[in-house]
Amino acid sequence: MSNRRKFLQFSLLGGMGLLARKTGFARSEETFPTITGKPVVISTWDAGLAANKGAWEVLGKGGRALDAVEKGVNVTEASQNCCVGLGANPDRDGFVTLDACIMDEFANCGSVAFLERIKHPVSVARRVMEKTPHVMLVGSGAQQFAVAEGFPLEEQKLSPEAQAAYSNWLKNSTYHPPAINVENKANHDHGPFAPYKLENGEWNHDTIGMVAMDTFGNLSGSCTTSGAGFKMRGRLGDSPIIGAGLFVDNEVGACTATGQGEDVIRIAGSHTVVELMRQGLSPEAACKKAIERVARKVKPERVKEIQVAFLAINKKGKVGAWALHPGFSYAIKSNDREEMVTSGSMFNS
Ligand code: ASP
């Protein structure tokens, strides 16, 4: 997780953005240049670099953005990442449950949630989109569909890293759900839960969200996660919800979200960003406005406890991101760029 904070590469301008935040200046919204030339793919957090490479195997050959965003995040799902795929941290009962969705340029979309023992939830989401009249399948029904579609049922076993993290978590079984917005709603109502903000100040979040534009100028997106580590059994965040964790409108742009899912859902986050771009805002300005809306909906004392970030692309291939707090970065790959970029944020810490 801490690797996400170690940005592998900075563009000169990205570095300047960080400097600006440290010195208290807001970063100009035009800091990052328009990407000229398709294709382009962007994805959340450090794992995005490898995922973008996977996507590029499709995009670089002139392939379709939909195929690219599936193949790209498959890379992360297959890695033993703490927060994506079967190597991820379990829920508080010790089971890994996965959420994913995918959306194409025709507004076709598919989603799975609370899915267990399947290695590539995003690919199951694509099958839901392509082979059923529905958008979303959950739990045992999603698993049954996956098996019927030929996806192998993997062993129910935690990775060594997840087992160690779970054993450690069980020592205190801490419950601090910062998303609860209702006065006097006792945090312990629902039993133990993991804090989103770790004691070392890092955010206990990870998800891979990816959006891409292909050589035809068409947009698609995908999002896949294990959600919050040690979550309540059955909890879903924003990631599998079309309009919250992901939204694509091929006339306008595409957006994906990461961070505190409950607060992304509250404002229909990714859809909001796309609608703001429709009104003429740049991707970064749209992400920023949506983040401000998240902050307005959360009690001031809770806003320090959560992280939310949006990452967007518009129809011109211009990309942008914004987060509540520093520490969010995204990976970009185009014909002439392959690097991590540091997002600006609403707060300085
Ligand atoms: N958005 C994800 C969720 O709430 C978690 C994350 O991005 O870290 O499930």
Side-chain angles (χ1 to χ4, degrees):
M1 277 252 305
S2 60
N3 285 346
R4 289 192 279 117
R5 311 291 171 240
K6 294 177 198 150
F7 307 123
L8 302 180
Q9 283 184 33
F10 284 91
S11 67
L12 178 61
L13 291 170
M16 281 166 64
L18 186 64
L19 192 66
R21 274 200 316 281
K22 281 192 168 153
T23 51
F25 295 106
R27 190 163 60 86
S28 142
E29 89 159 85
E30 298 305 328
T31 305
F32 297 110
T34 301
I35 306 296
T36 47
K38 302 167 282 232
V40 57
V41 55
I42 48 176
S43 52
T44 57
W45 306 113
D46 288 0
L49 278 179
N52 285 357
K53 276 196 202 313
W56 202 256
E57 285 174 27
V58 176
L59 293 174
K61 293 183 192 131
R64 192 177 165 204
L66 178 69
D67 297 323
V69 297
E70 180 189 2
K71 190 157 187 179
V73 302
N74 278 167
V75 171
T76 325
E77 289 176 337
S79 68
Q80 290 288 299
N81 186 306
C82 78
C83 310
V84 177
L86 290 176
N89 288 332
D91 64 17
R92 67 184 191 183
D93 293 2
F95 301 105
V96 176
T97 72
L98 303 176
D99 307 329
C101 71
I102 193 161
M103 189 162 186
D104 76 5
E105 71 270 33
F106 304 112
N108 294 314
C109 44
S111 163
V112 288
F114 194 40
L115 177 63
E116 294 176 276
R117 299 176 58 189
I118 299 288
K119 191 172 175 185
H120 288 301
V122 79
S123 299
V124 184
R126 181 165 177 178
R127 298 286 175 92
V128 173
M129 172 175 108
E130 291 178 338
K131 295 202 160 181
T132 81
H134 308 301
V135 167
M136 194 165 194
L137 291 179
V138 304
S140 58
Q143 190 189 69
Q144 191 181 327
F145 170 73
V147 171
E149 283 295 308
F151 289 87
L153 201 54
E154 308 289 339
E155 204 185 340
Q156 190 140 44
K157 191 167 181 284
L158 294 183
S159 68
E161 294 77 14
Q163 182 60 61
Y166 184 52
S167 305
N168 192 40
W169 175 78
L170 282 174
K171 285 181 199 153
N172 296 318
S173 304
T174 327
Y175 184 57
H176 294 300
I180 291 177
N181 229 13
V182 182
E183 208 68 72
N184 299 327
K185 183 152 181 166
N187 281 350
H188 54 263
D189 274 349
H190 302 290
F193 201 82
Y196 284 99
K197 191 164 188 181
L198 302 176
E199 275 160 21
N200 65 7
E202 290 196 347
W203 300 98
N204 187 20
H205 282 296
D206 215 347
T207 283
I208 186 147
M210 172 179 279
V211 290
M213 177 182 277
D214 60 29
T215 44
F216 309 103
N218 287 324
L219 297 165
S220 288
S222 61
C223 190
T224 179
T225 189
S226 63
F230 322 120
K231 61 195 174 189
M232 282 180 70
R233 185 146 178 81
R235 178 264 186 193
L236 303 183
D238 59 314
S239 304
I241 299 178
I242 298 295
L246 177 71
F247 195 69
V248 177
D249 184 326
N250 205 44
E251 290 170 12
V252 177
C255 176
T256 188
T258 183
Q260 182 80 31
E262 286 77 0
D263 292 300
V264 176
I265 294 171
R266 240 183 262 296
I267 69 147
S270 291
H271 180 261
T272 292
V273 170
V274 171
E275 289 307 304
L276 289 167
M277 291 194 289
R278 193 191 306 278
Q279 289 166 24
L281 267 61
S282 71
E284 187 172 287
C287 292
K288 194 172 177 182
K289 207 160 184 147
I291 286 291
E292 286 161 5
R293 194 175 300 178
V294 168
R296 278 203 307 279
K297 302 289 176 195
V298 178
K299 285 183 174 300
E301 64 274 19
R302 293 214 184 274
V303 104
K304 298 186 212 99
E305 302 299 317
I306 63 164
Q307 173 66 307
V308 171
F310 294 111
L311 173 61
I313 183 169
N314 69 12
K315 196 61 186 167
K316 293 181 191 141
K318 186 169 185 180
V319 306
W322 204 257
L324 262 179
H325 300 281
F328 174 60
S329 61
Y330 64 93
I332 182 166
K333 183 153 175 59
S334 65
N335 282 316
D336 51 9
R337 289 178 79 185
E338 182 172 13
E339 60 195 343
M340 293 302 298
V341 178
T342 306
S343 161
S345 59
M346 182 168 174
F347 298 102
N348 287 327
S349 61

